[in-house]
Amino acid sequence: MSVIVIIGSQFGDEGKGKVIDYLSQNADFVVRFHGGNNAGHTVVNRRGKFKLHHIPSGICHPQTKLVIANGVVIDPFILFEEIENLKKQGISLRNRLIISSRCHLIFPYHKQLEAIYESVKKGKNTPQPTGRGINPVHADKVSYLGIRLADLFHPKIFREKLKINLQIKNILIKAFTGKNLSFEEIFRPYLKIAEKLKPFVRETSIILQKALEEKKNILFEGAQGTFLDIDWGIYPYVTASSVVAGSINAGSGIPVKKINKIIGVVKSYTTHVGFRPFPSKMPAKITDFIREKGGEYGTTTGRSRQCGWLDLELVKSAVKISGINELFLTKIDTLTGLKKILVCKEYQYHKKKSSYFHLSTDSLWQVKPVYEEFNAWSEDISICRKYRHLPLNAKKYIERIEQLVKVPIKYISVGPQRKATIKR
Ligand code: GDP
């Protein structure tokens, strides 16, 4: 049996979709446990290219069950569309996909509220929402206003809850947009979509507890990245949920002591979307090179990502927070062709060495990165399948990262395809 957790060690977009596809070859279960359709994972293998938002990335292994556990927030229409799209691409999720009835649901008012908050904050000092209603749905969850998937199977209860929500939300929505949301336009379609999702809905914690007893292989698929975590990220430039390894407990009902291994996914450079302190930002010319070569545009929003050198102060902090035991280094092929590669090995604040944990969001704006410089390589490494095939400079880069982070790099991804992976 193995229980493995995959965690993004940066700001998301580390290539976790590919990593999960690769590591789930022997998994009995792949489990999503937090976030919603703000996550975007890309899986590329010989069956094609799949863009996923709700559905766990283990789709291409027919023996693998896919669990959307209670910690995930769902937009039921998007989820159903994803199921249908996968069917069209030849992937049937019948008897494979299991959705928790405890999942909280996204409603049209969540998206409207998100847009209203954004219009008032006008872009500055905001985490740049994805437009999916993710923050307001989490706010409703802790305000005891949330509507869960289970509620849709009890129309009387659903009616009551929806009425209360609209009574409150329509005051704000009317004030900002001049229009009310209609009860009927939400109520009926949600009842209908619930019937379509019903065959997939179960109590996922029971299934996962049983899987533990039967010593199955379970892979927990983290979405986003450590520095988007609601507590440990660079607040307020964060997501609405907890994304660190411990959140598998709240998000799925599996005890943390059952975890055998926590793998941190690290992209060979740093990217993020929007506005936040970014100490290791690259010069514009190198950003353009990396953005084009690495396809650094959001899977969910299409927004172009900011690019920076690998920031090991962040990776070291992610290791400490989640207890990461192994690293999966991705997109090292994107660095091919540069002359020099920099790595930020620590932070200086007011000319003194400092650490992520000592620094507030405000002070992170003033941090100076301390860089180590590496010679790059020009050989095409995307064809390498063994560590010894990599150019010497790539090996030096990898081994120095290991030394600085003090965690072994067990896997190196040299391309988007499953097979473009080196296991050490
Ligand atoms: P996630 O949010 O962490 O799951 O990241 P994505 O799934 O959005 O991955 C970002 C993109 O990088 C996707 O288009 C992947 O196919 C691609 N990708 C993943 N690993 C590699 C790699 O090692 N090299 C290259 N060139 N692309 C990769």
Side-chain angles (χ1 to χ4, degrees):
M1 174 191 80
S2 69
V3 177
I4 298 177
V5 183
I6 309 297
I7 294 291
S9 311
Q10 294 151 314
F11 296 99
D13 310 318
E14 294 95 350
K16 295 182 295 296
K18 180 230 160 113
V19 168
I20 306 278
D21 177 54
Y22 177 82
L23 291 173
S24 59
Q25 295 177 77
N26 300 318
D28 299 300
F29 291 84
V30 179
V31 186
R32 279 278 315 265
F33 56 97
H34 71 94
N37 56 319
N38 51 336
H41 296 318
T42 313
V43 172
V44 187
N45 54 40
R46 60 188 167 76
R47 300 191 64 172
K49 185 169 182 171
F50 307 91
K51 288 196 182 287
L52 305 165
H53 296 287
H54 278 306
I55 295 174
S57 305
I59 49 165
C60 292
H61 310 296
Q63 85 289 354
T64 307
K65 298 252 193 277
L66 308 164
V67 177
I68 299 180
N70 57 285
V72 179
V73 296
I74 289 176
D75 186 323
F77 297 93
I78 306 267
L79 173 55
F80 189 69
E81 196 182 304
E82 248 183 280
I83 296 171
E84 289 297 285
N85 283 342
L86 285 172
K87 204 180 342 176
K88 280 184 209 143
Q89 286 184 275
I91 301 210
S92 167
L93 298 181
R94 264 209 179 254
N95 303 320
R96 289 185 63 205
L97 177 66
I98 312 162
I99 309 167
S100 168
S101 56
R102 293 171 192 259
C103 290
H104 281 249
L105 300 178
I106 298 170
F107 283 87
Y109 47 79
H110 292 126
K111 292 178 211 172
Q112 291 225 2
L113 289 174
E114 194 174 88
I116 289 170
Y117 302 154
E118 190 59 10
S119 72
V120 177
K121 292 196 273 181
K122 293 198 170 60
K124 210 168 189 281
N125 294 327
T126 80
Q128 294 236 336
T130 53
R132 307 291 192 268
I134 300 296
N135 300 59
V137 72
H138 282 90
D140 273 358
K141 184 172 175 175
V142 294
S143 311
Y144 316 128
L145 283 169
I147 300 179
R148 306 204 287 185
L149 191 47
D151 295 326
L152 301 192
F153 304 114
H154 303 281
K156 250 175 102 177
I157 296 174
F158 174 40
R159 175 182 289 275
E160 225 167 84
K161 291 190 175 181
L162 183 61
K163 273 198 169 153
I164 292 171
N165 268 289
L166 284 178
Q167 204 181 330
I168 300 168
K169 270 109 182 174
N170 265 339
I171 294 172
L172 202 63
I173 293 172
K174 180 95 192 277
F176 276 90
T177 68
K179 282 192 232 146
N180 272 328
L181 286 179
S182 135
F183 174 87
E184 282 305 324
E185 279 176 25
I186 299 174
F187 186 65
R188 298 278 156 214
Y190 271 76
L191 286 181
K192 269 195 188 156
I193 198 75
E195 281 313 306
K196 291 185 179 168
L197 291 176
K198 203 171 183 176
F200 302 102
V201 180
R202 307 268 291 279
E203 174 51 59
T204 53
S205 66
I206 296 174
I207 293 166
L208 291 174
Q209 300 280 3
K210 188 161 174 273
L212 277 183
E213 278 167 26
E214 291 172 356
K215 310 219 177 302
K216 301 280 188 199
N217 294 324
I218 308 176
L219 196 62
F220 283 91
E221 170 174 346
Q224 284 90 37
T226 303
F227 299 94
L228 297 177
D229 182 271
I230 184 79
D231 284 287
W232 295 105
I234 305 179
Y235 193 88
Y237 312 106
V238 293
T239 190
S241 59
S242 178
V243 314
V244 296
S247 63
I248 72 148
N249 189 195
S252 75
I254 292 299
V256 273
K257 70 177 181 190
K258 297 286 181 191
I259 301 173
N260 303 113
K261 202 190 287 173
I262 301 170
I263 300 180
V265 185
V266 178
K267 185 150 63 179
S268 307
Y269 46 95
T270 314
T271 61
H272 76 95
V273 181
F275 180 81
R276 62 165 60 74
F278 194 31
S280 67
K281 194 172 177 355
M282 288 167 166
K285 239 176 136 176
I286 303 180
T287 290
D288 290 346
F289 174 88
I290 294 285
R291 190 181 283 147
E292 287 316 307
K293 196 148 179 252
E296 295 301 344
Y297 298 92
T299 314
T300 305
T301 59
R303 293 186 293 211
S304 57
R305 297 174 184 148
Q306 308 286 319
C307 301
W309 300 112
L310 179 57
D311 183 338
L312 290 187
E313 179 56 35
L314 294 184
V315 176
K316 285 187 280 182
S317 307
V319 164
K320 285 186 184 144
I321 296 165
S322 284
I324 290 169
N325 323 95
E326 290 180 2
L327 299 179
F328 200 128
L329 187 69
T330 61
K331 297 190 107 167
I332 187 163
D333 54 302
T334 307
L335 301 177
T336 304
L338 288 174
K339 284 203 174 69
K340 297 275 177 200
I341 301 170
L342 302 189
V343 166
C344 164
K345 56 180 184 180
E346 59 190 45
Y347 287 168
Q348 281 214 338
Y349 179 66
H350 290 168
K351 299 194 174 153
K352 282 202 185 111
K353 182 177 167 175
S354 190
S355 83
Y356 177 76
F357 295 108
H358 282 104
L359 295 160
S360 66
T361 299
D362 282 345
S363 26
L364 278 168
W365 287 107
Q366 296 153 48
V367 146
K368 297 264 177 288
V370 178
Y371 285 122
E372 193 161 309
E373 195 177 281
F374 296 81
N375 289 322
W377 54 90
S378 54
E379 298 90 329
D380 177 11
I381 61 168
S382 67
I383 49 170
C384 296
R385 298 292 177 263
K386 296 256 185 286
Y387 189 66
R388 66 186 141 83
H389 295 161
L390 287 172
L392 184 63
N393 284 346
K395 286 195 258 192
K396 278 187 183 165
Y397 182 72
I398 292 163
E399 286 163 29
R400 183 66 179 141
I401 295 169
E402 256 179 338
Q403 209 177 37
L404 289 166
V405 182
K406 299 192 181 86
V407 175
I409 296 175
K410 288 278 177 172
Y411 307 90
I412 300 147
S413 173
V414 292
Q417 309 82 0
R418 187 190 298 164
K419 62 179 185 195
T421 309
I422 296 171
K423 188 173 179 213
R424 287 171 86 196

